[in-house]
Amino acid sequence: MYRFLLTPRWLALHVVVLLVIPAFVFLGRWQFGRWEDRSAAEDRNATNLSAPPVPVGTLTSVGGAVPESDKFRRVTATGTYDTAHELLVRRRTQNSQVGFYVLTPLKTADGAVLVNRGWVKAGATIDTLPDVPPPPGGEVTLTGRLRPAETTETTGIIDRKGLPAGQVLLIDDRPIAGLVGSPLFGGYVDLIEQRPTAEKAPEPVPAPESGGGGGLNLAYGVQWWLFIGVAIGGWILLIRRELHDRRESTDNGGAAEATSPAVT
């Protein structure tokens, strides 16, 4: 009765099921891993965002790097803006519009800090420079969120040469140091507030969202593992249906033979 399970058609089905189950296990584990990573990152970000601000030199240094564990920590710095080496960061979206970040070095007693003063809308054409409000003159004390240097791996943005003068694609203090011409602290700072304030300023970069915890990844992980049950259940159902059809066919064949008239 079960010999049909060894026919080519059924053997192909067995192979498909045996391949699908480990694939679904892998995809479910991958989504659960993503959920754990994102939950841990959001917990860390929430802790860093709520921590009291500290001087920028306590978390990074000239020529150093900002670890992920200090991402979004609030820092303070005092110095003067170096508008002569201000840069525009291309292809930055805010409010569903593409524009530029305004990156202005703040010269301090220990080195310069790259400050992302905020977002400005792109010009009317590709070649039109945006309207960039100037920073306050003289000594400024600011508070901002510390960020690690951007890379292609962390942003998905591919850096390239041949950009217009004064424009970059990635906020990376290492190559930018050559453009600024002065020692730079590692990473950069998203401006939150400053004293004195400017009459007009770029639109602030919004604080990162927190609280999602990668819930969508958790749901996807559960979904993939439910598919394992669906695959096994469907496989068993097909086998039971085939058995039922074969038994019914056998019974009907036997009944037909028993009721047929004898041949003399």
mmCIF file of all heavy atoms in Angstrom, residues 215-263:
data_model
loop_
_atom_site.group_PDB
_atom_site.id
_atom_site.type_symbol
_atom_site.label_atom_id
_atom_site.label_comp_id
_atom_site.label_asym_id
_atom_site.label_seq_id
_atom_site.Cartn_x
_atom_site.Cartn_y
_atom_site.Cartn_z
ATOM 1 N N GLY A 215 10.267 44.439 16.266
ATOM 2 C CA GLY A 215 9.086 43.579 16.358
ATOM 3 C C GLY A 215 8.727 42.921 15.044
ATOM 4 O O GLY A 215 8.220 41.793 15.020
ATOM 5 N N LEU A 216 8.980 43.615 13.934
ATOM 6 C CA LEU A 216 8.669 43.039 12.628
ATOM 7 C C LEU A 216 9.543 41.823 12.362
ATOM 8 O O LEU A 216 9.080 40.823 11.793
ATOM 9 C CB LEU A 216 8.866 44.093 11.548
ATOM 10 C CG LEU A 216 8.246 43.818 10.175
ATOM 11 C CD1 LEU A 216 6.742 43.624 10.295
ATOM 12 C CD2 LEU A 216 8.545 44.940 9.205
ATOM 13 N N ASN A 217 10.823 41.880 12.777
ATOM 14 C CA ASN A 217 11.701 40.725 12.606
ATOM 15 C C ASN A 217 11.221 39.541 13.437
ATOM 16 O O ASN A 217 11.296 38.389 12.991
ATOM 17 C CB ASN A 217 13.134 41.084 13.007
ATOM 18 C CG ASN A 217 13.738 42.160 12.121
ATOM 19 O OD1 ASN A 217 13.864 43.305 12.548
ATOM 20 N ND2 ASN A 217 14.088 41.820 10.905
ATOM 21 N N LEU A 218 10.730 39.811 14.637
ATOM 22 C CA LEU A 218 10.181 38.736 15.473
ATOM 23 C C LEU A 218 8.992 38.084 14.792
ATOM 24 O O LEU A 218 8.871 36.854 14.769
ATOM 25 C CB LEU A 218 9.786 39.297 16.837
ATOM 26 C CG LEU A 218 9.113 38.315 17.803
ATOM 27 C CD1 LEU A 218 10.050 37.159 18.141
ATOM 28 C CD2 LEU A 218 8.681 39.036 19.077
ATOM 29 N N ALA A 219 8.108 38.904 14.226
ATOM 30 C CA ALA A 219 6.933 38.363 13.538
ATOM 31 C C ALA A 219 7.348 37.522 12.331
ATOM 32 O O ALA A 219 6.777 36.451 12.075
ATOM 33 C CB ALA A 219 6.021 39.507 13.104
ATOM 34 N N TYR A 220 8.354 37.988 11.589
ATOM 35 C CA TYR A 220 8.829 37.222 10.438
ATOM 36 C C TYR A 220 9.430 35.892 10.882
ATOM 37 O O TYR A 220 9.261 34.864 10.206
ATOM 38 C CB TYR A 220 9.863 38.022 9.648
ATOM 39 C CG TYR A 220 9.291 39.135 8.812
ATOM 40 C CD1 TYR A 220 10.038 40.266 8.512
ATOM 41 C CD2 TYR A 220 7.996 39.057 8.304
ATOM 42 C CE1 TYR A 220 9.523 41.294 7.732
ATOM 43 C CE2 TYR A 220 7.467 40.082 7.526
ATOM 44 C CZ TYR A 220 8.232 41.194 7.246
ATOM 45 O OH TYR A 220 7.721 42.203 6.470
ATOM 46 N N GLY A 221 10.172 35.906 12.000
ATOM 47 C CA GLY A 221 10.758 34.664 12.498
ATOM 48 C C GLY A 221 9.688 33.644 12.846
ATOM 49 O O GLY A 221 9.797 32.463 12.500
ATOM 50 N N VAL A 222 8.656 34.084 13.559
ATOM 51 C CA VAL A 222 7.548 33.192 13.892
ATOM 52 C C VAL A 222 6.870 32.687 12.618
ATOM 53 O O VAL A 222 6.503 31.507 12.508
ATOM 54 C CB VAL A 222 6.532 33.920 14.799
ATOM 55 C CG1 VAL A 222 5.286 33.064 15.010
ATOM 56 C CG2 VAL A 222 7.169 34.271 16.145
ATOM 57 N N GLN A 223 6.716 33.567 11.647
ATOM 58 C CA GLN A 223 6.069 33.187 10.393
ATOM 59 C C GLN A 223 6.846 32.078 9.677
ATOM 60 O O GLN A 223 6.245 31.107 9.200
ATOM 61 C CB GLN A 223 5.953 34.413 9.495
ATOM 62 C CG GLN A 223 5.253 34.159 8.168
ATOM 63 C CD GLN A 223 5.191 35.419 7.313
ATOM 64 O OE1 GLN A 223 5.896 36.394 7.563
ATOM 65 N NE2 GLN A 223 4.362 35.403 6.294
ATOM 66 N N TRP A 224 8.173 32.227 9.611
ATOM 67 C CA TRP A 224 8.967 31.196 8.930
ATOM 68 C C TRP A 224 8.837 29.854 9.636
ATOM 69 O O TRP A 224 8.779 28.804 8.988
ATOM 70 C CB TRP A 224 10.437 31.618 8.853
ATOM 71 C CG TRP A 224 10.741 32.626 7.781
ATOM 72 C CD1 TRP A 224 11.229 33.892 7.961
ATOM 73 C CD2 TRP A 224 10.579 32.462 6.369
ATOM 74 N NE1 TRP A 224 11.374 34.533 6.757
ATOM 75 C CE2 TRP A 224 10.981 33.668 5.756
ATOM 76 C CE3 TRP A 224 10.132 31.416 5.566
ATOM 77 C CZ2 TRP A 224 10.961 33.855 4.383
ATOM 78 C CZ3 TRP A 224 10.107 31.595 4.186
ATOM 79 C CH2 TRP A 224 10.514 32.796 3.615
ATOM 80 N N TRP A 225 8.792 29.861 10.961
ATOM 81 C CA TRP A 225 8.702 28.592 11.679
ATOM 82 C C TRP A 225 7.294 28.004 11.587
ATOM 83 O O TRP A 225 7.135 26.785 11.645
ATOM 84 C CB TRP A 225 9.142 28.792 13.126
ATOM 85 C CG TRP A 225 10.644 28.834 13.222
ATOM 86 C CD1 TRP A 225 11.524 29.052 12.201
ATOM 87 C CD2 TRP A 225 11.435 28.651 14.385
ATOM 88 N NE1 TRP A 225 12.809 29.028 12.656
ATOM 89 C CE2 TRP A 225 12.806 28.783 13.996
ATOM 90 C CE3 TRP A 225 11.149 28.416 15.721
ATOM 91 C CZ2 TRP A 225 13.841 28.658 14.898
ATOM 92 C CZ3 TRP A 225 12.194 28.292 16.621
ATOM 93 C CH2 TRP A 225 13.532 28.415 16.216
ATOM 94 N N LEU A 226 6.293 28.855 11.438
ATOM 95 C CA LEU A 226 4.953 28.330 11.180
ATOM 96 C C LEU A 226 4.894 27.643 9.816
ATOM 97 O O LEU A 226 4.170 26.647 9.637
ATOM 98 C CB LEU A 226 3.920 29.462 11.241
ATOM 99 C CG LEU A 226 3.585 30.005 12.631
ATOM 100 C CD1 LEU A 226 2.634 31.190 12.519
ATOM 101 C CD2 LEU A 226 2.976 28.918 13.498
ATOM 102 N N PHE A 227 5.663 28.174 8.871
ATOM 103 C CA PHE A 227 5.711 27.545 7.549
ATOM 104 C C PHE A 227 6.253 26.120 7.626
ATOM 105 O O PHE A 227 5.922 25.279 6.782
ATOM 106 C CB PHE A 227 6.576 28.370 6.599
ATOM 107 C CG PHE A 227 5.935 29.645 6.119
ATOM 108 C CD1 PHE A 227 6.692 30.653 5.563
ATOM 109 C CD2 PHE A 227 4.554 29.822 6.218
ATOM 110 C CE1 PHE A 227 6.102 31.822 5.106
ATOM 111 C CE2 PHE A 227 3.958 30.980 5.768
ATOM 112 C CZ PHE A 227 4.726 31.986 5.221
ATOM 113 N N ILE A 228 7.120 25.823 8.606
ATOM 114 C CA ILE A 228 7.615 24.459 8.784
ATOM 115 C C ILE A 228 6.450 23.525 9.086
ATOM 116 O O ILE A 228 6.322 22.441 8.502
ATOM 117 C CB ILE A 228 8.656 24.408 9.922
ATOM 118 C CG1 ILE A 228 9.872 25.270 9.573
ATOM 119 C CG2 ILE A 228 9.075 22.973 10.194
ATOM 120 C CD1 ILE A 228 10.855 25.415 10.717
ATOM 121 N N GLY A 229 5.575 23.957 10.008
ATOM 122 C CA GLY A 229 4.398 23.152 10.323
ATOM 123 C C GLY A 229 3.478 22.992 9.125
ATOM 124 O O GLY A 229 2.909 21.910 8.908
ATOM 125 N N VAL A 230 3.342 24.074 8.348
ATOM 126 C CA VAL A 230 2.503 23.997 7.151
ATOM 127 C C VAL A 230 3.082 22.995 6.151
ATOM 128 O O VAL A 230 2.352 22.192 5.554
ATOM 129 C CB VAL A 230 2.370 25.397 6.510
ATOM 130 C CG1 VAL A 230 1.666 25.293 5.151
ATOM 131 C CG2 VAL A 230 1.608 26.333 7.432
ATOM 132 N N ALA A 231 4.412 23.021 5.959
ATOM 133 C CA ALA A 231 5.052 22.102 5.013
ATOM 134 C C ALA A 231 4.881 20.656 5.454
ATOM 135 O O ALA A 231 4.517 19.779 4.652
ATOM 136 C CB ALA A 231 6.530 22.452 4.864
ATOM 137 N N ILE A 232 5.128 20.381 6.745
ATOM 138 C CA ILE A 232 4.995 19.006 7.239
ATOM 139 C C ILE A 232 3.541 18.564 7.209
ATOM 140 O O ILE A 232 3.218 17.443 6.782
ATOM 141 C CB ILE A 232 5.570 18.903 8.665
ATOM 142 C CG1 ILE A 232 7.075 19.176 8.645
ATOM 143 C CG2 ILE A 232 5.284 17.534 9.262
ATOM 144 C CD1 ILE A 232 7.709 19.236 10.018
ATOM 145 N N GLY A 233 2.649 19.464 7.645
ATOM 146 C CA GLY A 233 1.229 19.128 7.633
ATOM 147 C C GLY A 233 0.702 18.869 6.235
ATOM 148 O O GLY A 233 -0.066 17.931 6.008
ATOM 149 N N GLY A 234 1.138 19.698 5.270
ATOM 150 C CA GLY A 234 0.704 19.499 3.892
ATOM 151 C C GLY A 234 1.233 18.195 3.320
ATOM 152 O O GLY A 234 0.523 17.489 2.578
ATOM 153 N N TRP A 235 2.485 17.862 3.659
ATOM 154 C CA TRP A 235 3.093 16.605 3.203
ATOM 155 C C TRP A 235 2.312 15.397 3.728
ATOM 156 O O TRP A 235 1.971 14.487 2.976
ATOM 157 C CB TRP A 235 4.538 16.599 3.672
ATOM 158 C CG TRP A 235 5.346 15.396 3.315
ATOM 159 C CD1 TRP A 235 5.527 14.868 2.077
ATOM 160 C CD2 TRP A 235 6.110 14.590 4.220
ATOM 161 N NE1 TRP A 235 6.362 13.784 2.141
ATOM 162 C CE2 TRP A 235 6.736 13.592 3.450
ATOM 163 C CE3 TRP A 235 6.339 14.631 5.588
ATOM 164 C CZ2 TRP A 235 7.571 12.625 4.010
ATOM 165 C CZ3 TRP A 235 7.171 13.687 6.158
ATOM 166 C CH2 TRP A 235 7.772 12.700 5.375
ATOM 167 N N ILE A 236 2.000 15.421 5.024
ATOM 168 C CA ILE A 236 1.231 14.316 5.621
ATOM 169 C C ILE A 236 -0.170 14.243 5.025
ATOM 170 O O ILE A 236 -0.690 13.153 4.737
ATOM 171 C CB ILE A 236 1.163 14.490 7.156
ATOM 172 C CG1 ILE A 236 2.558 14.346 7.762
ATOM 173 C CG2 ILE A 236 0.201 13.490 7.777
ATOM 174 C CD1 ILE A 236 2.631 14.674 9.235
ATOM 175 N N LEU A 237 -0.790 15.395 4.813
ATOM 176 C CA LEU A 237 -2.137 15.418 4.243
ATOM 177 C C LEU A 237 -2.167 14.808 2.847
ATOM 178 O O LEU A 237 -3.084 14.043 2.505
ATOM 179 C CB LEU A 237 -2.644 16.860 4.202
ATOM 180 C CG LEU A 237 -4.055 17.071 3.635
ATOM 181 C CD1 LEU A 237 -5.091 16.361 4.507
ATOM 182 C CD2 LEU A 237 -4.376 18.566 3.552
ATOM 183 N N LEU A 238 -1.158 15.112 2.034
ATOM 184 C CA LEU A 238 -1.103 14.546 0.686
ATOM 185 C C LEU A 238 -0.937 13.030 0.727
ATOM 186 O O LEU A 238 -1.532 12.300 -0.078
ATOM 187 C CB LEU A 238 0.045 15.188 -0.092
ATOM 188 C CG LEU A 238 -0.150 16.650 -0.521
ATOM 189 C CD1 LEU A 238 1.126 17.201 -1.145
ATOM 190 C CD2 LEU A 238 -1.309 16.780 -1.498
ATOM 191 N N ILE A 239 -0.094 12.554 1.668
ATOM 192 C CA ILE A 239 0.088 11.107 1.795
ATOM 193 C C ILE A 239 -1.216 10.436 2.215
ATOM 194 O O ILE A 239 -1.616 9.404 1.654
ATOM 195 C CB ILE A 239 1.213 10.802 2.804
ATOM 196 C CG1 ILE A 239 2.562 11.285 2.259
ATOM 197 C CG2 ILE A 239 1.276 9.312 3.118
ATOM 198 C CD1 ILE A 239 3.706 11.150 3.241
ATOM 199 N N ARG A 240 -1.905 11.006 3.204
ATOM 200 C CA ARG A 240 -3.172 10.427 3.678
ATOM 201 C C ARG A 240 -4.221 10.430 2.568
ATOM 202 O O ARG A 240 -4.992 9.462 2.410
ATOM 203 C CB ARG A 240 -3.667 11.211 4.893
ATOM 204 C CG ARG A 240 -2.835 10.984 6.150
ATOM 205 C CD ARG A 240 -3.229 11.972 7.240
ATOM 206 N NE ARG A 240 -4.607 11.785 7.629
ATOM 207 C CZ ARG A 240 -5.020 10.989 8.611
ATOM 208 N NH1 ARG A 240 -4.125 10.285 9.306
ATOM 209 N NH2 ARG A 240 -6.295 10.880 8.921
ATOM 210 N N ARG A 241 -4.263 11.504 1.804
ATOM 211 C CA ARG A 241 -5.239 11.575 0.712
ATOM 212 C C ARG A 241 -4.948 10.518 -0.350
ATOM 213 O O ARG A 241 -5.867 9.881 -0.875
ATOM 214 C CB ARG A 241 -5.231 12.971 0.100
ATOM 215 C CG ARG A 241 -6.231 13.153 -1.027
ATOM 216 C CD ARG A 241 -6.242 14.578 -1.519
ATOM 217 N NE ARG A 241 -6.686 15.503 -0.470
ATOM 218 C CZ ARG A 241 -6.675 16.826 -0.615
ATOM 219 N NH1 ARG A 241 -6.223 17.370 -1.736
ATOM 220 N NH2 ARG A 241 -7.090 17.590 0.365
ATOM 221 N N GLU A 242 -3.655 10.343 -0.660
ATOM 222 C CA GLU A 242 -3.284 9.324 -1.648
ATOM 223 C C GLU A 242 -3.654 7.923 -1.156
ATOM 224 O O GLU A 242 -4.164 7.098 -1.914
ATOM 225 C CB GLU A 242 -1.784 9.407 -1.927
ATOM 226 C CG GLU A 242 -1.289 8.456 -2.993
ATOM 227 C CD GLU A 242 -1.665 8.865 -4.405
ATOM 228 O OE1 GLU A 242 -2.131 10.017 -4.581
ATOM 229 O OE2 GLU A 242 -1.497 8.048 -5.322
ATOM 230 N N LEU A 243 -3.396 7.671 0.129
ATOM 231 C CA LEU A 243 -3.774 6.381 0.699
ATOM 232 C C LEU A 243 -5.279 6.162 0.625
ATOM 233 O O LEU A 243 -5.760 5.072 0.286
ATOM 234 C CB LEU A 243 -3.305 6.298 2.153
ATOM 235 C CG LEU A 243 -1.828 5.985 2.394
ATOM 236 C CD1 LEU A 243 -1.488 6.153 3.873
ATOM 237 C CD2 LEU A 243 -1.501 4.565 1.928
ATOM 238 N N HIS A 244 -6.040 7.203 0.975
ATOM 239 C CA HIS A 244 -7.500 7.102 0.936
ATOM 240 C C HIS A 244 -7.982 6.802 -0.477
ATOM 241 O O HIS A 244 -8.850 5.918 -0.683
ATOM 242 C CB HIS A 244 -8.113 8.402 1.447
ATOM 243 C CG HIS A 244 -9.608 8.431 1.372
ATOM 244 N ND1 HIS A 244 -10.291 8.904 0.262
ATOM 245 C CD2 HIS A 244 -10.550 8.040 2.265
ATOM 246 C CE1 HIS A 244 -11.586 8.803 0.473
ATOM 247 N NE2 HIS A 244 -11.776 8.290 1.696
ATOM 248 N N ASP A 245 -7.431 7.513 -1.462
ATOM 249 C CA ASP A 245 -7.867 7.295 -2.846
ATOM 250 C C ASP A 245 -7.523 5.883 -3.312
ATOM 251 O O ASP A 245 -8.308 5.238 -4.020
ATOM 252 C CB ASP A 245 -7.216 8.329 -3.771
ATOM 253 C CG ASP A 245 -7.733 9.731 -3.524
ATOM 254 O OD1 ASP A 245 -8.790 9.868 -2.869
ATOM 255 O OD2 ASP A 245 -7.070 10.704 -3.982
ATOM 256 N N ARG A 246 -6.337 5.394 -2.921
ATOM 257 C CA ARG A 246 -5.947 4.055 -3.344
ATOM 258 C C ARG A 246 -6.801 2.984 -2.672
ATOM 259 O O ARG A 246 -7.194 1.996 -3.317
ATOM 260 C CB ARG A 246 -4.460 3.830 -3.034
ATOM 261 C CG ARG A 246 -3.521 4.593 -3.969
ATOM 262 C CD ARG A 246 -2.078 4.441 -3.560
ATOM 263 N NE ARG A 246 -1.214 5.100 -4.528
ATOM 264 C CZ ARG A 246 -0.684 4.503 -5.595
ATOM 265 N NH1 ARG A 246 -0.943 3.211 -5.832
ATOM 266 N NH2 ARG A 246 0.080 5.167 -6.423
ATOM 267 N N ARG A 247 -7.108 3.153 -1.394
ATOM 268 C CA ARG A 247 -7.961 2.183 -0.717
ATOM 269 C C ARG A 247 -9.370 2.174 -1.311
ATOM 270 O O ARG A 247 -9.982 1.117 -1.486
ATOM 271 C CB ARG A 247 -8.017 2.501 0.776
ATOM 272 C CG ARG A 247 -6.753 2.118 1.527
ATOM 273 C CD ARG A 247 -6.760 2.655 2.924
ATOM 274 N NE ARG A 247 -5.546 2.259 3.652
ATOM 275 C CZ ARG A 247 -5.128 2.856 4.760
ATOM 276 N NH1 ARG A 247 -5.809 3.891 5.250
ATOM 277 N NH2 ARG A 247 -4.032 2.426 5.355
ATOM 278 N N GLU A 248 -9.869 3.379 -1.584
ATOM 279 C CA GLU A 248 -11.208 3.479 -2.169
ATOM 280 C C GLU A 248 -11.242 2.831 -3.539
ATOM 281 O O GLU A 248 -12.201 2.129 -3.892
ATOM 282 C CB GLU A 248 -11.621 4.950 -2.258
ATOM 283 C CG GLU A 248 -13.080 5.149 -2.591
ATOM 284 C CD GLU A 248 -13.468 6.615 -2.527
ATOM 285 O OE1 GLU A 248 -12.960 7.389 -3.365
ATOM 286 O OE2 GLU A 248 -14.237 6.976 -1.633
ATOM 287 N N SER A 249 -10.180 3.051 -4.304
ATOM 288 C CA SER A 249 -10.105 2.436 -5.627
ATOM 289 C C SER A 249 -10.053 0.924 -5.512
ATOM 290 O O SER A 249 -10.698 0.191 -6.280
ATOM 291 C CB SER A 249 -8.883 2.960 -6.373
ATOM 292 O OG SER A 249 -8.741 2.326 -7.628
ATOM 293 N N THR A 250 -9.274 0.410 -4.537
ATOM 294 C CA THR A 250 -9.167 -1.029 -4.334
ATOM 295 C C THR A 250 -10.500 -1.628 -3.907
ATOM 296 O O THR A 250 -10.940 -2.672 -4.404
ATOM 297 C CB THR A 250 -8.090 -1.338 -3.286
ATOM 298 O OG1 THR A 250 -6.835 -0.812 -3.729
ATOM 299 C CG2 THR A 250 -7.960 -2.839 -3.052
ATOM 300 N N ASP A 251 -11.179 -0.938 -2.969
ATOM 301 C CA ASP A 251 -12.476 -1.433 -2.485
ATOM 302 C C ASP A 251 -13.503 -1.443 -3.604
ATOM 303 O O ASP A 251 -14.276 -2.401 -3.759
ATOM 304 C CB ASP A 251 -12.969 -0.569 -1.332
ATOM 305 C CG ASP A 251 -12.094 -0.719 -0.091
ATOM 306 O OD1 ASP A 251 -11.336 -1.722 -0.028
ATOM 307 O OD2 ASP A 251 -12.162 0.152 0.791
ATOM 308 N N ASN A 252 -13.553 -0.396 -4.400
ATOM 309 C CA ASN A 252 -14.511 -0.327 -5.502
ATOM 310 C C ASN A 252 -14.218 -1.394 -6.538
ATOM 311 O O ASN A 252 -15.130 -2.005 -7.118
ATOM 312 C CB ASN A 252 -14.475 1.059 -6.161
ATOM 313 C CG ASN A 252 -15.057 2.131 -5.256
ATOM 314 O OD1 ASN A 252 -15.814 1.824 -4.327
ATOM 315 N ND2 ASN A 252 -14.701 3.377 -5.511
ATOM 316 N N GLY A 253 -12.943 -1.653 -6.769
ATOM 317 C CA GLY A 253 -12.579 -2.685 -7.729
ATOM 318 C C GLY A 253 -12.985 -4.067 -7.256
ATOM 319 O O GLY A 253 -13.497 -4.887 -8.018
ATOM 320 N N GLY A 254 -12.811 -4.326 -5.937
ATOM 321 C CA GLY A 254 -13.205 -5.614 -5.395
ATOM 322 C C GLY A 254 -14.698 -5.801 -5.418
ATOM 323 O O GLY A 254 -15.205 -6.886 -5.706
ATOM 324 N N ALA A 255 -15.443 -4.715 -5.110
ATOM 325 C CA ALA A 255 -16.908 -4.806 -5.113
ATOM 326 C C ALA A 255 -17.422 -5.048 -6.516
ATOM 327 O O ALA A 255 -18.355 -5.832 -6.732
ATOM 328 C CB ALA A 255 -17.501 -3.517 -4.539
ATOM 329 N N ALA A 256 -16.808 -4.403 -7.498
ATOM 330 C CA ALA A 256 -17.246 -4.583 -8.880
ATOM 331 C C ALA A 256 -17.003 -6.011 -9.330
ATOM 332 O O ALA A 256 -17.808 -6.629 -10.029
ATOM 333 C CB ALA A 256 -16.526 -3.608 -9.799
ATOM 334 N N GLU A 257 -15.894 -6.602 -8.896
ATOM 335 C CA GLU A 257 -15.584 -7.979 -9.293
ATOM 336 C C GLU A 257 -16.545 -8.967 -8.646
ATOM 337 O O GLU A 257 -16.957 -9.952 -9.245
ATOM 338 C CB GLU A 257 -14.139 -8.293 -8.903
ATOM 339 C CG GLU A 257 -13.682 -9.681 -9.336
ATOM 340 C CD GLU A 257 -12.240 -9.941 -8.971
ATOM 341 O OE1 GLU A 257 -11.543 -8.983 -8.615
ATOM 342 O OE2 GLU A 257 -11.836 -11.110 -9.049
ATOM 343 N N ALA A 258 -16.941 -8.664 -7.372
ATOM 344 C CA ALA A 258 -17.848 -9.570 -6.674
ATOM 345 C C ALA A 258 -19.253 -9.563 -7.253
ATOM 346 O O ALA A 258 -19.963 -10.554 -7.218
ATOM 347 C CB ALA A 258 -17.894 -9.187 -5.175
ATOM 348 N N THR A 259 -19.730 -8.450 -7.786
ATOM 349 C CA THR A 259 -21.082 -8.335 -8.313
ATOM 350 C C THR A 259 -21.194 -8.648 -9.783
ATOM 351 O O THR A 259 -22.282 -8.683 -10.348
ATOM 352 C CB THR A 259 -21.612 -6.912 -8.061
ATOM 353 O OG1 THR A 259 -20.724 -5.974 -8.685
ATOM 354 C CG2 THR A 259 -21.694 -6.615 -6.591
ATOM 355 N N SER A 260 -20.085 -8.846 -10.475
ATOM 356 C CA SER A 260 -20.141 -9.125 -11.907
ATOM 357 C C SER A 260 -20.661 -10.552 -12.138
ATOM 358 O O SER A 260 -20.332 -11.479 -11.374
ATOM 359 C CB SER A 260 -18.776 -8.972 -12.537
ATOM 360 O OG SER A 260 -17.859 -9.858 -11.958
ATOM 361 N N PRO A 261 -21.519 -10.825 -13.171
ATOM 362 C CA PRO A 261 -22.077 -12.148 -13.420
ATOM 363 C C PRO A 261 -21.004 -13.142 -13.846
ATOM 364 O O PRO A 261 -20.013 -12.756 -14.478
ATOM 365 C CB PRO A 261 -23.075 -11.904 -14.542
ATOM 366 C CG PRO A 261 -22.590 -10.684 -15.230
ATOM 367 C CD PRO A 261 -21.980 -9.845 -14.174
ATOM 368 N N ALA A 262 -21.197 -14.377 -13.450
ATOM 369 C CA ALA A 262 -20.235 -15.418 -13.811
ATOM 370 C C ALA A 262 -20.329 -15.728 -15.302
ATOM 371 O O ALA A 262 -21.422 -15.727 -15.879
ATOM 372 C CB ALA A 262 -20.492 -16.689 -13.015
ATOM 373 N N VAL A 263 -19.261 -16.014 -15.928
ATOM 374 C CA VAL A 263 -19.213 -16.316 -17.339
ATOM 375 C C VAL A 263 -19.241 -17.846 -17.509
ATOM 376 O O VAL A 263 -18.435 -18.570 -16.905
ATOM 377 C CB VAL A 263 -17.943 -15.737 -17.987
ATOM 378 C CG1 VAL A 263 -17.889 -16.116 -19.453
ATOM 379 C CG2 VAL A 263 -17.917 -14.258 -17.809
#
